[in-house]
Amino acid sequence: MTHITHDFRRPPFPSALTVIWDETEKARQSTRVPGTAIPLDDSGANVQKYLHQELSVSGLNAVHDYLWMAGRVDGFRPLHWQRMMKRDIVVTEDPGLHLLWYDSTIFVKPLPVCLLDYNFFITHICPHHTLFTTVCGFLRSYALLIRHESDFRIAHNLGLLPQDMTWIQWGEFAYHISNVPLSDVNERFRYGELRLSHVNLIYNFFRCRPWYYKIHRDYQSWFSYELGFMLVVFAYVSVVMSALQVMLTTPFISLEVSVLCYWASIATTLVIVAVFAWQFVGIVFIYCFSCFRALW
């Protein structure tokens, strides 16, 4: 596919593949955003507001330099693979959660019908560079999610694609969309699936915010998740400290090893105290942050 430049942009699929409406629907869609009841206005403000709500990934673009900690470049895996891994595919309307996962759950945003309309694409998407690259990245993610007919059936059952679209129609779309190079898509969509817990950590350290998206909705589940890892570490440290204590009771141990055990025990104690203090400060910060958001 010809490289898309900033001066000339066109949809990543030919006009022959645009969504086909019957005459009644075609007349209705000429005054509305395709697939919605949102009216088209002369200024285009309604359209841009709708597309921003449907496609904005500014929250992830803000930490793009650190997304390598949460996922792989071009790390898209098809829907049937998600089912193979026993993941629950949860439909979300938040574009910022598209292809974020945690535990056995992955979020997927349905494909807006208007993105498959060639004339709408030319008029309202191509003139805006950021929007264009975002849409191309979003469409490309779908081409990589739905590669086989089994993926298509899963998408249909979940309502991710237009219900009247056939596998052959989608295959023709996907053939063209998948040829969009990574350099022509929005920064977020250069990465595939992102681990939500790692994105939250990125927001902790680099944005000074408690989370990107709150996974746990109550303190009980949050404590279970956060303290589980600490308990495992504490168990390993306890075993190591017990081994050091046994070493110190033997008559064959040298003075150097005794000193090493002494400082190792002090260092371990300080680390454990620091970790628990960090957890305590984190709990207080999250509680205060939640209260502040509730008040304001």
Side-chain angles (χ1 to χ4, degrees), residues 251-264:
F252 309 105
I253 192 169
S254 64
L255 178 62
E256 290 80 5
V257 175
S258 298
V259 173
L260 177 63
C261 292
Y262 171 76
W263 285 111

Side-chain angles (χ1 to χ4, degrees), residues 69-270:
M69 301 179 187
R72 295 185 297 110
V73 173
D74 215 17
F76 299 92
R77 288 173 288 198
L79 294 178
H80 80 270
W81 187 94
Q82 308 295 342
R83 287 284 175 85
M84 286 172 55
M85 295 297 104
K86 306 297 183 183
R87 284 184 180 173
D88 295 323
I89 303 172
V90 176
V91 175
T92 177
E93 292 297 344
D94 184 350
L97 290 178
H98 181 60
L99 295 184
L100 268 65
W101 68 274
Y102 74 96
D103 294 342
S104 61
T105 299
I106 184 167
F107 297 104
V108 180
K109 177 176 172 53
L111 181 61
V113 176
C114 63
L115 303 186
L116 304 179
D117 189 299
Y118 189 89
N119 293 329
F120 179 86
F121 206 115
I122 284 285
T123 305
H124 298 285
I125 296 176
C126 287
H128 308 279
H129 173 69
T130 301
L131 179 60
F132 178 83
T133 57
T134 302
V135 171
C136 284
F138 185 76
L139 289 175
R140 186 177 182 276
S141 75
Y142 256 87
L144 298 175
L145 280 176
I146 306 174
R147 307 182 198 181
H148 309 279
E149 192 170 359
S150 58
D151 303 321
F152 181 79
R153 288 195 296 268
I154 294 172
H156 246 261
N157 292 335
L158 292 172
L160 300 177
L161 293 176
Q163 288 300 311
D164 56 349
M165 176 173 274
T166 66
W167 163 241
I168 298 301
Q169 287 175 322
W170 171 252
E172 292 175 333
F173 266 108
Y175 173 78
H176 294 278
I177 295 169
S178 60
N179 289 327
V180 176
L182 275 179
S183 58
D184 290 338
V185 304
N186 185 278
E187 292 178 330
R188 181 270 172 266
F189 291 108
R190 294 174 189 175
Y191 290 86
E193 302 162 23
L194 298 175
R195 190 165 187 164
L196 182 52
S197 59
H198 289 190
V199 176
N200 283 339
L201 283 176
I202 291 171
Y203 260 71
N204 284 163
F205 288 103
F206 300 108
R207 300 285 289 180
C208 297
R209 291 178 56 181
W211 55 71
Y212 170 75
Y213 178 78
K214 193 193 312 185
I215 300 174
H216 307 286
R217 297 300 171 181
D218 57 78
Y219 285 108
Q220 181 178 356
S221 62
W222 187 83
F223 277 116
S224 300
Y225 184 85
E226 292 291 331
L227 297 182
F229 174 75
M230 291 182 60
L231 291 176
V232 172
V233 173
F234 182 77
Y236 278 107
V237 170
S238 297
V239 172
V240 172
M241 296 303 295
S242 297
L244 293 177
Q245 188 176 11
V246 171
M247 290 173 58
L248 290 173
T249 60
T250 61
F252 309 105
I253 192 169
S254 64
L255 178 62
E256 290 80 5
V257 175
S258 298
V259 173
L260 177 63
C261 292
Y262 171 76
W263 285 111
S265 62
I266 292 178
T268 302
T269 303
L270 291 176

